[in-house]
C-alpha cells in the first residue's frame, strides 16, 4: 500500500480544505469530475487545474498549480503516472501540505521525493472512496 497508517485520515481531516484537482476539466465522463463533486459535498474547496483553465463545479480553473493565487492544502493528481512526478514536484514548490495520487497513478520515486520534502503523500487511492468509509476504517 502507498499510505502509512493514519495518513489518509490526516490528509482528509487535518490538512485543510483547499484541494487542487490536477486534470479536472468540465468533461463529466472523466473520473476527476465525479471525485471533485464528492470532495465539494464533503466541504472541500476544489480548484480545477487543467491546461484549458475551465470553470468546473462553479470554481475558477487554472492552467497550472503555479497560477493559483492562494494557498493549496492538497494536490489531488489525475494524470498519467509518467506525468505525476512533475506535478508532485510542483506541489512541493507551491507549499502544499499533501499530495494524493489517484487510483492507478503510481510513481515511487515521486512518492519518496515528496515525503522527503515533508509533505504527506498517498498513492493509488481515491479520496471519494475513502470519504465513503466509516471513520476509523480507512488506513
Amino acid at each position: 500500500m502507498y499510505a502509512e497508517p493514519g495518513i489518509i485520515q490526516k490528509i482528509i481531516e487535518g490538512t485543510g480544505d483547499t484541494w487542487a484537482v490536477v486534470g479536472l476539466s468540465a468533461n463529466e465522463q472523466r473520473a476527476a469530475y465525479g471525485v471533485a463533486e464528492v470532495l465539494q459535498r464533503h466541504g472541500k474547496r476544489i480548484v480545477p487545474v487543467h491546461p484549458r483553465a475551465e470553470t468546473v463545479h462553479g470554481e475558477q480553473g487554472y492552467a497550472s498549480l503555479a497560477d493559483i493565487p492562494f494557498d493549496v492544502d492538497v494536490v489531488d493528481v489525475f494524470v498519467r503516472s509518467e506525468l505525476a512526478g512533475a506535478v508532485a514536484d510542483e506541489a512541493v514548490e507551491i507549499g502544499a501540505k499533501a499530495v494524493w495520487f489517484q487510483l492507478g497513478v503510481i510513481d515511487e520515486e515521486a512518492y519518496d521525493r515528496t515525503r522527503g520534502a515533508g509533505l504527506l503523500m498517498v498513492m493509488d487511492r481515491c479520496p471519494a472512496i475513502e470519504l465513503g468509509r466509516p471513520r476509523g476504517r480507512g488506513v
Side-chain angles (χ1 to χ4, degrees):
M1 289 305 228
Y2 299 108
E4 291 180 10
I7 293 294
I8 288 172
Q9 285 304 115
K10 189 171 185 176
I11 291 172
I12 289 172
E13 296 176 0
T15 58
D17 291 330
T18 302
W19 287 52
V21 184
V22 179
L24 175 58
S25 71
N27 183 346
E28 297 178 19
Q29 303 305 311
R30 306 292 296 182
Y33 189 89
V35 170
E37 191 172 49
V38 170
L39 288 168
Q40 277 189 319
R41 281 199 314 264
H42 282 86
K44 308 300 181 189
R45 176 185 184 190
I46 59 110
V47 182
V49 179
H50 190 279
R52 290 193 299 266
E54 299 173 299
T55 297
V56 182
H57 297 305
E59 295 287 347
Q60 168 64 47
Y62 297 89
S64 72
L65 290 172
D67 292 339
I68 301 171
F70 47 83
D71 291 341
V72 169
D73 300 309
V74 181
V75 175
D76 190 6
V77 182
F78 280 91
V79 299
R80 294 188 316 268
S81 294
E82 57 267 22
L83 303 174
V87 175
D89 294 340
E90 289 176 48
V92 171
E93 289 174 23
I94 68 163
K97 298 173 188 167
V99 175
W100 192 302
F101 282 6
Q102 284 294 325
L103 290 172
V105 180
I106 299 171
D107 181 333
E108 293 181 1
E109 290 178 6
Y111 181 85
D112 292 339
R113 280 195 316 272
T114 303
R115 297 221 346 104
L119 279 71
L120 300 174
M121 176 83 179
V122 173
M123 189 163 59
D124 194 28
R125 302 290 282 267
C126 178
I129 293 170
E130 300 302 332
L131 284 164
R133 293 179 194 261
R135 285 183 185 230
R137 293 210 41 220
V139 173

